[in-house]
Amino acid sequence: MPEKYKVKDISLADRGKLAVEWAEQNMPVLRLIRERFQKEKPLKGVRIAACMHVTKETAVLMLTLRDGGAEIALAASNPLSTQDHVAAYLAKEGIHVYAWRGMSEKDYFAAIASAASMGPDVTMDDGADLTVMLHKVALGEARGIDYEIGSKVLSSSIVEKIRGGTEETTTGVIRLKALQKEGKLLYPVFAVNDSLTKFMFDNRFGTGQSSIDGILRATNILLAGKNVVVAGYGWVGRGIAWRARGMGARVTVVEVDPVRALEAYYEGFYVTDMSSAAETGDVFITATGNTDVIRAEHLLKMRDGAILANAGHFNVEISVRDLERIAVGSRDINENVREYRLPNGRKVYLIGEGRLVNLAAAEGHPSEVMDLSFANQALAVETIVKKWEKLDKKVYKLPRSIDNRVALLKLKALGVRLERLTEEQKKYLESWSG
Amino acid sequence: MPEKYKVKDISLADRGKLAVEWAEQNMPVLRLIRERFQKEKPLKGVRIAACMHVTKETAVLMLTLRDGGAEIALAASNPLSTQDHVAAYLAKEGIHVYAWRGMSEKDYFAAIASAASMGPDVTMDDGADLTVMLHKVALGEARGIDYEIGSKVLSSSIVEKIRGGTEETTTGVIRLKALQKEGKLLYPVFAVNDSLTKFMFDNRFGTGQSSIDGILRATNILLAGKNVVVAGYGWVGRGIAWRARGMGARVTVVEVDPVRALEAYYEGFYVTDMSSAAETGDVFITATGNTDVIRAEHLLKMRDGAILANAGHFNVEISVRDLERIAVGSRDINENVREYRLPNGRKVYLIGEGRLVNLAAAEGHPSEVMDLSFANQALAVETIVKKWEKLDKKVYKLPRSIDNRVALLKLKALGVRLERLTEEQKKYLESWSG
Amino acid sequence: MPEKYKVKDISLADRGKLAVEWAEQNMPVLRLIRERFQKEKPLKGVRIAACMHVTKETAVLMLTLRDGGAEIALAASNPLSTQDHVAAYLAKEGIHVYAWRGMSEKDYFAAIASAASMGPDVTMDDGADLTVMLHKVALGEARGIDYEIGSKVLSSSIVEKIRGGTEETTTGVIRLKALQKEGKLLYPVFAVNDSLTKFMFDNRFGTGQSSIDGILRATNILLAGKNVVVAGYGWVGRGIAWRARGMGARVTVVEVDPVRALEAYYEGFYVTDMSSAAETGDVFITATGNTDVIRAEHLLKMRDGAILANAGHFNVEISVRDLERIAVGSRDINENVREYRLPNGRKVYLIGEGRLVNLAAAEGHPSEVMDLSFANQALAVETIVKKWEKLDKKVYKLPRSIDNRVALLKLKALGVRLERLTEEQKKYLESWSG
Amino acid sequence: MPEKYKVKDISLADRGKLAVEWAEQNMPVLRLIRERFQKEKPLKGVRIAACMHVTKETAVLMLTLRDGGAEIALAASNPLSTQDHVAAYLAKEGIHVYAWRGMSEKDYFAAIASAASMGPDVTMDDGADLTVMLHKVALGEARGIDYEIGSKVLSSSIVEKIRGGTEETTTGVIRLKALQKEGKLLYPVFAVNDSLTKFMFDNRFGTGQSSIDGILRATNILLAGKNVVVAGYGWVGRGIAWRARGMGARVTVVEVDPVRALEAYYEGFYVTDMSSAAETGDVFITATGNTDVIRAEHLLKMRDGAILANAGHFNVEISVRDLERIAVGSRDINENVREYRLPNGRKVYLIGEGRLVNLAAAEGHPSEVMDLSFANQALAVETIVKKWEKLDKKVYKLPRSIDNRVALLKLKALGVRLERLTEEQKKYLESWSG
């Protein structure tokens, strides 16, 4: 690792500490795991390279892993998502942080390479950029800026030492499964995203609220009465759709999957294709995990004043390329809103450069839901360390028993009573004779 | 088969015809399948024994199968759920119907035995009572009224001819998987219930609305402002919880599964155990698939005037036995509401004898959603007839491709536009390199 | 009065008694008033002519007034709304009831005339048909079937004895204010409808739920996913709109008032005119208090299978005249649904002849909300009897103090705690200096 | 006026201009009025002293009035609500602005005195601090800091010239009616707050959304699953309650008015007193217009981590005095959150010093809804200038015709179609004979 850390301003550490304490207060499950890790030290001597959004909640996870005995290098998983005061605090706490808000694309991949250069036993990823860089270097896949930057710093043998990894997002899991499908996955990865206590909560309630939050912070528009178009009705999309409706908007869903489209329809949403939706929407939010969901053909149909935001992991869902290409002019309205004047005289407004709006324009997911996701992360890392010898080079789900543990701890912290099965009921559920 | 049919009053057939026509109007997917079956006759010569709720929607399914070439015997799957005018019409149309509203338990199983005695190639089930009777007879499991009645009429070899079966409900699938687990399942069964286009629509929107409907028809209470307790947060339970909330109720969820309990909590419901919920609820609705969910200990804690309804398949969720045992008196308030006076001086009201409230006190699921479920049923029967030789004695899911076909047909009928992936997008989804 | 009573079948009285007891259980406020009336007899010797829906809740009101010492004649306020078992029970209890379900228009006005012929001190009205008949006779306004029938039975001097009246509905209040505006109102009337504890609860929650209920009982359609068009966004209309949304429908509001239209828009509903809405609606519900809201021009634009229901007081909102005129054929699908075939080949379905759907196809408002409305009615009658000499020939609102009394009694019955102002807070609210 | 303006940093004007342009884009009604004012100059020579939140939306109103010919002095109506870049821009545009974020209490009243010292023809107020200061000085009411500061700068005769005023808030209207009740109101005031197109939209949708927004910006908590307690179920309170529910919270309402409490109950909220609610709430939001709604007795019952926010006009609803008195320690968590440690070991968190959370921690109401409120303001000022000679010294409502004009303009801008009455329908509504 070239430097111990690289952050914007180390003097922000005190403010960062306050923020992390505030987060931890709403993360009771991770707190309990941290207490156990402090005693048991299950990660003693383990080196972890992580590529995650550097937020106050991630900080609580990193400190939990550190208290479990790990040495950690952390790179940002998005150029716009780092909270600089949190990064400073983590650096002070001995985490090797390479992250600051507003990194260039080059800095971004250089930071990942720096983290990877520690020679990790375990990787943690949020979108799979770290894992993909390591694979490209190891496989000699000489395409892309990540390969260019990574191959300068990293040796192709670095992967050999890695026992396993974790992946946080739907997008990342799709990429890793594509790798696996081509037979190129070089170590086992736990798809933390696919745990019930992750995607049903984080993707839905977390992104749902925080994407709306980001749009409000950037624009201060009134959602009541607006026509909001949500592209994608996966867990993120439905979270956004329900919250937008909860704020008084009329919501239209655009989907490619017929079953999901039908579900949205019966849940009372309008459902149509993007070409039709483009004509009536006031606000467009993409959450598909796909590329070019909003393209020139759609942009040119939009109403004057339409607002564009992306909630998906990568900034490819809204074609900024198309926007730049067709616009006759543009200017920044404020830190997070850019106005594009189209040749038809109308204006559209892009939030946060089309990057994930909840991190670009707000603070990302609330601590309460990251508590669940990161409890899964911590237990996934522990599982890798304990069981890596039995794992194949595959994408794994965490076992349902971990979901149950996480959920039970959370319910306890919330003071919620769970019904218990009687012995008679257990027997009934196992019988078929009636 | 002892008689060609056994219904309450064959002269009701004309009224039944009108009802079935009305249902078919809202079942465009099944209508399209029926048209194809009329041409292709894929079920030519196939004998089908079905045990299903004899409603106007089931009638459309039966006529679809008949038009496909099948000979059909149909028994009711619940003593209180038969629409007598529909049964009469089906009898006139050549279906061997054995069903009338208000059958005794003995009549009920005798009707199933009558249907089974046709010697079917395919069974269709709703709760698995037909399948279980056939298995008990074949296996010589000499317990229960179903065995007693079945073994008089049916030979143990009748199962050997059966190529496969279908099962409509969560409850039935649980029973069949228990059979399979014990290694006793004697032919392959398609768990139609587990298709996305079934359980996400029928169990949720269908039972959700129709259970509320049944409670209103029976009691005419105002739901706004009521404390409604929903036991079970599976697909049926969540359908009911959301609809009760949509009518203005405060909803409390009782669950045994920690992940589901947590989900209900974050969806804004109150979550607690039945013992606490019993003290504050005005209306209790069970939807667990389990037995004795509401017992004496809960009944004695309830408010004066509490209303009890069951939405699960069997009438065991509310312990009517406990209610009868502890009550100091009882009387019928109307056709579907029975008042029990408890020793503490309070009164509680049981709807429809604790049988599934949407069929006992209303008309069951709306046609629109049965369209989806029964399209799956029709395609499952067709699949059995075509592929039975390749199937093992297991519980199968229908392939996702059938879900997609059903959903696409429905969207088309509704005039809803689906977004299409571009070639570039398809490629993007398959790549991992970024 | 020609006969003591006129009902369909007096032998239904026992069933009626059960129904009325069931209703009274959910009417705690009226029960408390009844207990006081039994002791105080404030209506001793008062003759009351009432024209109201003869339902189990009205029965509780009538028995309350009777127990207060009044003699009562009761006519139905709608030919389709009478619950015959309740009418029988009231007759047995000494109320002069003239009502049965399915009266002809002639019978309907004859029944009102019979009730009026008692020579009342107080009138109670629901839609103002009784009051208008009395006024037409007194004023010699020789138009309409009500005048023809009324003037045969009633003397023009009968009005002179009347001390005051009450009116239950928005529609009736509009008519009475029109009378007043022309200077023709002959006695004071309390617009019970305009009490907060009436219109905000009864019109909204009562009609909201029961109109949906009526549509479901008549058609058993799935509301989830339907396009529901609500004409009129007054208290009834908004009640229906919110409940339809709560059941999963997409709701479009049609309004003539710009402020209300804007409110509906910001509450997330679609808002447009009937001409546009006609093209996309699956279900149309009128709640305007106006005439010919849905006319031939709209009917001809509707989708095949469109369903028409009215929730307004009179059966003029959907132009049945237009429907009969343009249809090329029609038939009854069931007791409450009539199919009309239009010249364009499409079919539309009219529920309950276009009469108020919650009474024609369901049981009217739930008891809980009639408890509030009828508590106001009972207190209004008491107020007339005590204060009639101080009243002018005007339409009055009940004082806010009666609202507060009714609300406090209800909250107490529900076990709900109200916050109390401290002395300091009272003072603060009265000061301006800050 | 001592200085031409007093703002934090005049160099922020360019950023302010962008913000104001962004706001104006979402204020089409005010834009139309501005265009008319530019032509007609109805306010030529009129001097206006305004005390309002200095936000981008207020800026559009001020420029509208200026373009109508007025000379304007503007003071902040809250020490924490000024957007400094907007203030700078207004100063550049020739408005006499006296406002900056974070004013001391003394500065605050001095700024109001500066604005008032212009000798206005018309006053515009938001909370009535300007009007009350002018009245105290004129009446010699020598109590309070406002009198102390005002009487140094202002002559008691300044009021004599004033033709009329406007008031924006519920709180201000209550104060002015108290003044009127004591016979001390010295000039007519239009209660803009009481216009339908103001309170039903601004108070409900505006404060509803922006209060939630402020809480999220300050704390980033997850609202889903939280127990949110809303004190006050007026238009502001219900806006907040519905939005909190829309974000997934369980909402409890605390009310002193029985009718409102009952309404909240039937709308599905929990209703209880503050003493009970204090024990279960996670977040408390006050919106009562009253003082000391949350006091020591409540604070000591709260859960560890409870969050306190105020949405009412003055910072008296949460007793900060009690909080300071009983706390054993306190610290700032971030710019807008202060932690108080209570003697029982628990911590509570106060947002924005208990000042109105939507302005202290977010950007106040969205432009779309201020468009309605400020259209009313502009038309109210025009009405005063045209009709002041006919007005008494009273609190007036604006006529319903202004509501209709504002609503019609807004609907047109939104592209929403309004249904029109036919001639026959108009006649029907005016008739009583049926």
Side-chain angles (χ1 to χ4, degrees), chain C residues 136 175 204 255 257 263 266-267 273-274 276 291-292 400 410 417 419 424-425 432-433, chain D residues 136 175 204 255 257 263 266-267 273-274 276 291-292 400 410 417 419 424-425 432-433:
Chain C
K136 281 193 177 176
R175 296 176 83 190
R204 186 163 39 151
E255 246 294 348
D257 179 288
E263 200 187 351
Y266 279 116
E267 284 180 341
D273 57 16
M274 186 55 82
S276 304
T291 188
D292 291 327
R400 175 77 200 250
K410 191 75 170 189
R417 290 192 197 175
E419 179 74 355
E424 190 188 291
Q425 287 179 323
W432 54 271
S433 68
Chain D
K136 283 193 176 178
R175 296 176 85 189
R204 186 164 38 151
E255 246 296 344
D257 179 289
E263 201 186 351
Y266 279 117
E267 284 181 341
D273 56 17
M274 185 56 80
S276 304
T291 188
D292 291 328
R400 175 75 199 250
K410 190 76 169 187
R417 290 191 196 175
E419 180 74 356
E424 191 187 291
Q425 288 179 323
W432 54 270
S433 67

Side-chain angles (χ1 to χ4, degrees), chain A residues 103-412:
Chain A
M103 306 168 89
S104 70
E105 200 183 7
K106 221 177 121 184
D107 287 335
Y108 171 74
F109 284 108
I112 294 176
S114 293
S117 70
M118 82 176 325
D121 302 297
V122 175
T123 62
M124 303 181 74
D125 225 335
D126 186 302
D129 275 351
L130 166 61
T131 315
V132 165
M133 180 189 280
L134 286 164
H135 277 74
K136 282 193 175 176
V137 170
L139 298 165
E141 290 262 353
R143 278 176 314 164
I145 183 173
D146 48 349
Y147 175 79
E148 281 169 43
I149 291 174
S151 59
K152 285 184 201 144
V153 180
L154 306 173
S155 78
S156 66
S157 65
I158 206 161
V159 187
E160 290 163 23
K161 191 193 156 214
I162 300 176
R163 300 176 189 171
T166 69
E167 169 55 45
E168 174 78 5
T169 66
T170 311
T171 294
V173 171
I174 291 173
R175 296 176 84 190
L176 294 173
K177 287 190 173 163
L179 255 179
Q180 176 183 334
K181 208 176 155 191
E182 295 185 15
K184 294 179 176 167
L185 189 65
L186 300 173
Y187 56 83
V189 183
F190 278 108
V192 170
N193 179 74
D194 294 356
S195 291
L196 293 172
T197 47
K198 200 278 179 179
F199 72 83
M200 292 206 316
F201 297 85
D202 173 323
N203 303 22
R204 187 163 39 151
F205 303 118
T207 320
Q209 173 179 304
S210 60
S211 298
I212 296 297
D213 188 13
I215 292 170
L216 292 185
R217 294 194 200 198
T219 66
N220 205 38
I221 55 167
L222 182 73
L223 280 170
K226 284 283 185 304
N227 294 319
V228 171
V229 178
V230 178
Y233 201 63
W235 289 97
V236 167
R238 69 189 62 198
I240 295 169
W242 279 92
R243 287 299 167 255
R245 172 187 279 184
M247 296 301 274
R250 278 175 294 281
V251 178
T252 298
V253 168
V254 173
E255 246 295 345
V256 297
D257 179 288
V259 176
R260 283 182 173 176
L262 196 60
E263 199 186 353
Y265 187 83
Y266 279 116
E267 284 182 340
F269 296 107
Y270 278 77
V271 180
T272 190
D273 56 17
M274 186 56 80
S275 192
S276 304
E279 292 175 7
T280 58
D282 297 308
V283 181
F284 296 80
I285 311 172
T286 50
T288 66
N290 207 334
T291 187
D292 290 328
V293 175
I294 295 179
R295 304 183 290 272
E297 63 191 271
H298 308 124
L299 294 164
L300 290 168
K301 285 185 172 180
M302 288 182 184
R303 290 182 179 183
D304 189 34
I307 289 170
L308 309 171
N310 168 47
H313 186 79
F314 287 115
N315 61 337
V316 297
E317 307 211 6
I318 299 164
S319 176
V320 181
R321 205 182 39 213
D322 278 15
L323 203 44
E324 300 277 3
R325 182 169 53 80
I326 66 176
V328 298
S330 66
R331 60 170 182 166
D332 286 328
I333 294 299
N334 62 36
E335 199 192 344
N336 279 311
V337 179
R338 187 161 183 83
E339 178 186 271
Y340 290 89
R341 291 194 308 287
L342 302 183
N344 58 20
R346 297 184 201 148
K347 288 173 277 186
V348 299
Y349 295 87
L350 180 67
I351 305 185
E353 306 175 9
R355 296 183 191 276
L356 13 71
V357 67
N358 62 338
L359 281 156
E363 296 173 56
H365 293 183
S367 311
E368 292 89 334
V369 41
M370 295 316 297
D371 188 29
L372 296 170
S373 304
F374 285 170
N376 278 289
Q377 284 281 6
L379 298 175
V381 171
E382 190 183 20
T383 304
I384 290 169
V385 169
K386 284 193 184 154
K387 310 217 172 151
W388 66 278
E389 287 170 306
K390 293 180 191 151
L391 298 173
D392 297 323
K393 292 172 180 177
K394 290 197 336 188
V395 178
Y396 284 93
K397 275 194 195 185
L398 287 168
R400 176 74 200 252
S401 60
I402 286 188
D403 265 330
N404 286 349
R405 258 165 79 190
V406 169
L408 279 169
L409 288 173
K410 190 76 168 186
L411 289 169
K412 210 178 153 190

